[in-house]
């Protein structure tokens, strides 16, 4: 049996691996100047040592007090986020390159103050979610810089974020449903709308569907994969969680329509680019924009007047609402929608219960005076 490779370095009490390497220079007292290095594992420390020695040799090494926010943030992305999921990598890269570097990229890390961070947040206005992502990213970058002994204290404490605004997740309106019935959709558009409406699928689940996911004899649809976008390129991956893998009944109202659409496609995937390749982010946007524009037009809107703010998620919320009014239990609803637990369903059902109670209360108030019949 082969022996496990011995670790060259041992971890400190805080779990980090540490060593020092000499720069080849000496201080005024003739003592050799050395650089402290830290890493999360022995192997990463060895790589850091090699990279630092190369930088010293090439004259590109920067002392801790010379490191800029831009250089450190980009290094942090490569070191800590390169193995994350596509969506996670994109989010962090977007925050770093779109919000942090343009604001304070040229500053030295040691010079970043609490006021600098607050200025970034204030400049975002009321975009609470983006501010939360900026702070999530900055806290991790600063924490790593403290571990690397570049800075001593975090400037991220007690940053004030904009007030939360309650986002209203909604179902389809009656006008939207009526408009959909009148729309002259293409077969592709109609199939896409039907998959959102009749199954409450996530966008990434719809665009990942293949023809063999449908069993027309059993009248079932199997959800087993998703597609996310790496910039514009489609990447096939597992569903959001294990619960996302599920088998759904195809409603009779949609059966012939989806059979007809699948008979018109040549490839494996239901929704592709014009050349037959996996759908791109741009191609998806063009598809959904065409659907929304047709619904908008039937509601009396045009290019300048938007009668609807419809999104793919609106259909998913609508499906959950239909489950509620059909008397489907929270447990079964979670199963049908691919949630790993019932918490999200319970929140939606509780909101619908509250709306129902308010309606009943208003009706009773309208007829609080009994009349003799």
């Amino acid at each position: 049996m082969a022996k496990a490779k011995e670790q060259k370095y041992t971890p400190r009490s805080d779990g980090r691996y540490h060593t020092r390497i000499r720069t080849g220079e000496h201080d005024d007292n003739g003592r050799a100047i050395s650089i402290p290095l830290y890493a999360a594992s022995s192997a990463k420390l060895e790589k850091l040592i090699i990279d630092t020695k190369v930088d010293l040799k090439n004259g590109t090494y920067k002392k801790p007090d010379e490191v800029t926010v831009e250089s450190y943030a980009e290094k942090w992305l490569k070191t800590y986020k390169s193995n994350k999921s596509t969506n996670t990598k994109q989010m962090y890269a977007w925050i770093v390159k779109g919000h942090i570097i343009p604001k304070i990229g040229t500053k030295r890390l040691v010079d970043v103050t609490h006021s600098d961070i607050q200025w970034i947040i204030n400049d975002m206005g009321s975009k609470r979610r983006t501010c939360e992502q900026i702070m999530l990213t900055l806290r991790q970058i600063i924490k790593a810089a403290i571990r690397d002994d570049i800075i001593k204290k975090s400037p991220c404490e007690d940053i004030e974020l904009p007030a939360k605004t309650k986002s209203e997740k909604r179902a389809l309106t009656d006008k939207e449903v009526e408009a959909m019935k009148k729309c002259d959709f293409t077969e592709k558009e109609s199939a896409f709308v039907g998959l959102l409406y009749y199954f409450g699928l996530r966008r990434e689940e719809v665009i990942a569907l293949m023809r063999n996911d449908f069993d027309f004899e059993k009248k079932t649809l199997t959800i087993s994969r998703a597609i996310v976008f790496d910039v514009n390129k489609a990447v096939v991956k597992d569903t959001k969680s294990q619960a996302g893998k599920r088998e759904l009944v195809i409603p009779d109202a949609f059966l012939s329509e989806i059979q007809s659409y699948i008979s018109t496609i040549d490839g494996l995937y239901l929704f592709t680019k014009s050349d037959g390749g996996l759908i791109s982010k741009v191609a998806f946007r063009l598809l959904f924009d065409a659907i929304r524009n047709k619904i908008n037009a039937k509601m009396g809107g045009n290019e300048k007047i938007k009668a609807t703010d419809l999104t793919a998620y609106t259909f998913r919320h609508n499906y959950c609402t239909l489950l509620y009014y059909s008397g489907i239990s929270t447990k079964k609803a979670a199963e049908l929608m691919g949630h790993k637990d019932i918490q999200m369903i319970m929140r939606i059902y509780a909101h619908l219960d509250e709306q129902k109670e308010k309606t009943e209360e208003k009706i009773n108030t309208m007829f609080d005076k009994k009349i003799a019949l």
Side-chain angles (χ1 to χ4, degrees), residues 61-72:
Y61 173 76
K62 291 186 180 294
K63 295 177 183 178
D65 61 356
E66 296 174 344
V67 176
T68 64
V69 172
E70 179 175 7
S71 64
Y72 191 81

Side-chain angles (χ1 to χ4, degrees), residues 40 43 48 57 80 132 171 173 184 192 272 276 293 339-340 361:
L48 182 58
K57 184 178 179 180
Y80 294 99
E132 289 174 341
T173 64
D184 182 23
F192 194 89
T272 62
N293 289 340
H339 285 301
K340 62 183 178 181
E361 184 183 332

Side-chain angles (χ1 to χ4, degrees), residues 177-194:
V177 174
E178 286 303 310
M180 283 165 48
K181 293 176 182 177
K182 299 173 184 176
C183 284
D184 182 23
F185 290 131
T186 64
E187 284 188 298
K188 184 177 184 179
E189 292 166 354
S190 186
F192 194 89
V193 169

